[in-house]
Amino acid sequence: MRDFKKLCNWDEIVQSLQYLTEEICNLPFKSNLATFGKFKEKKPTFDFSDSTNQYSIFVSGVFYRTNSIEDRPNFLLKKLVFHHIFHYCVYTILSGQSLLILSKQSFNEAISLAERMQIFIPFFQPQHSRIDLNIDLSECFKYSLSVAQETYGKSDIQISILDLDNKIYIGEGCPKNSFVQKKMGKGSDQSERVFLLLQHHQLKTISNQFLTKLAEYQKKEKFTFEKMMFEMAQIGFSKDDFPILNYLIHSYFNQQKCRPILMNNNISRTGKIIAPFY
């Protein structure tokens, strides 16, 4: 069998697909993506956006949120990959901890960045985030994501802070054996919207693997935590991912309007990280 890539102009096809991805948000039918999209997942599944597992709604939302983002390269989520800030933020959010994005000089850009980070919040609901000019640090515990210009209250509250004005991140790191460190953040050489789509795809792939393994456990009469983590390691998870997996399960069964708060997940796995980025 001959290689398919040699039978066609593969590079040209790739460029055309990338161009379509970039320009589709400017086409007149872009608003119909969510209306006519038919693909929708059925439970059990983990959702990482406000699209209620309907992929077409998620895609149209990404196009809307990134329509003019490329004009402000200093506030691209993909730029945070180079300083590992991206991995710190994603691990914080996925494990059920709280992230505060702080900026007085670029408040609107901070809000935009938070909107793009919402795809990392399991079963995201609007009440899982907060935007305010001034925020009490102790209030941030209630939310996965907060955005503010200034803060007040106790400064020893254990939350992660992404300070856009001072270009510094202070908070939870990302353990080196976590799948976040190993698998997330790829595609940073692409546009912001393509980068977001790649992250969402990776999250769905990883979470589906986790769900499949959970289904296998239901058929077994006895299994220990050690045995479970051993089998999880076979599909790419480590003990560093336990806070994330624990939060995913609690989020799935959560029936409250507020997000689940797991105090054990707020115990740092890496110690406080202080990381500048430019």
Side-chain angles (χ1 to χ4, degrees), residues 44-272:
T45 183
F46 291 122
D47 189 19
F48 293 95
S49 68
D50 55 353
S51 60
T52 60
N53 288 322
Q54 191 161 341
Y55 189 69
S56 57
I57 294 178
F58 169 75
V59 172
S60 62
V62 168
F63 287 152
Y64 173 77
R65 292 168 184 166
T66 59
N67 196 26
S68 59
I69 288 299
E70 304 292 344
D71 298 332
R72 299 187 293 276
N74 292 330
F75 300 99
L76 297 178
L77 185 59
K78 66 177 186 176
K79 291 290 186 180
L80 299 179
V81 173
F82 300 106
H83 303 281
H84 297 289
I85 307 299
F86 170 82
H87 298 94
Y88 301 157
C89 293
V90 172
Y91 188 87
T92 294
I93 296 172
L94 283 177
S95 60
Q97 301 182 62
S98 301
L99 175 66
L100 168 63
I101 301 178
L102 199 60
S103 180
K104 190 173 184 178
Q105 300 172 8
S106 306
F107 188 55
N108 290 333
E109 285 78 4
I111 295 174
S112 174
L113 183 62
E115 289 177 344
R116 279 168 276 148
M117 284 188 175
Q118 288 172 358
I119 70 169
F120 302 109
I121 303 176
F123 301 96
F124 172 76
Q125 298 292 330
Q127 58 267 27
H128 293 169
S129 63
R130 176 177 174 179
I131 300 172
D132 212 334
L133 295 179
N134 299 282
I135 192 169
D136 187 341
L137 288 173
S138 62
E139 287 287 304
C140 293
F141 264 124
K142 300 178 182 178
Y143 310 97
S144 295
L145 268 173
S146 302
V147 184
Q149 293 186 3
E150 296 178 333
T151 64
Y152 61 93
K154 294 183 178 180
S155 59
D156 59 346
I157 302 297
Q158 190 172 338
I159 62 171
S160 297
I161 299 177
L162 180 64
D163 190 334
L164 298 183
D165 293 345
N166 295 308
K167 303 293 183 183
I168 192 168
Y169 172 89
I170 303 174
E172 180 71 0
C174 179
K176 64 179 182 179
N177 292 323
S178 171
F179 75 81
V180 175
Q181 187 70 50
K182 294 180 177 180
K183 297 183 179 181
M184 303 299 296
K186 296 179 180 179
S188 58
D189 57 335
Q190 303 295 324
S191 68
E192 183 79 345
R193 63 173 59 96
V194 171
F195 177 73
L196 290 173
L197 293 175
L198 289 173
Q199 304 318 302
H200 183 265
H201 171 73
Q202 189 65 266
L203 276 178
K204 295 297 291 185
T205 300
I206 293 170
S207 63
N208 286 337
Q209 291 174 335
F210 178 48
L211 271 176
T212 301
K213 188 60 67 174
L214 286 180
E216 293 176 2
Y217 286 139
Q218 288 184 340
K219 300 178 181 179
K220 298 180 180 180
E221 295 182 359
K222 295 181 180 180
F223 64 90
T224 63
F225 174 77
E226 288 73 18
K227 185 176 181 180
M228 181 181 71
M229 291 310 301
F230 173 79
E231 294 193 18
M232 286 293 180
Q234 307 305 307
I235 56 174
F237 295 105
S238 73
K239 288 186 177 181
D240 291 332
D241 295 316
F242 177 73
I244 296 177
L245 304 181
N246 189 30
Y247 188 69
L248 284 177
I249 293 175
H250 279 81
S251 297
Y252 181 84
F253 289 104
N254 181 38
Q255 299 296 322
Q256 307 299 320
K257 291 184 178 180
C258 59
R259 74 183 185 96
I261 299 177
L262 308 180
M263 297 309 297
N264 287 339
N265 277 22
N266 288 320
I267 300 175
S268 177
R269 268 73 184 173
T270 62
K272 180 181 287 187

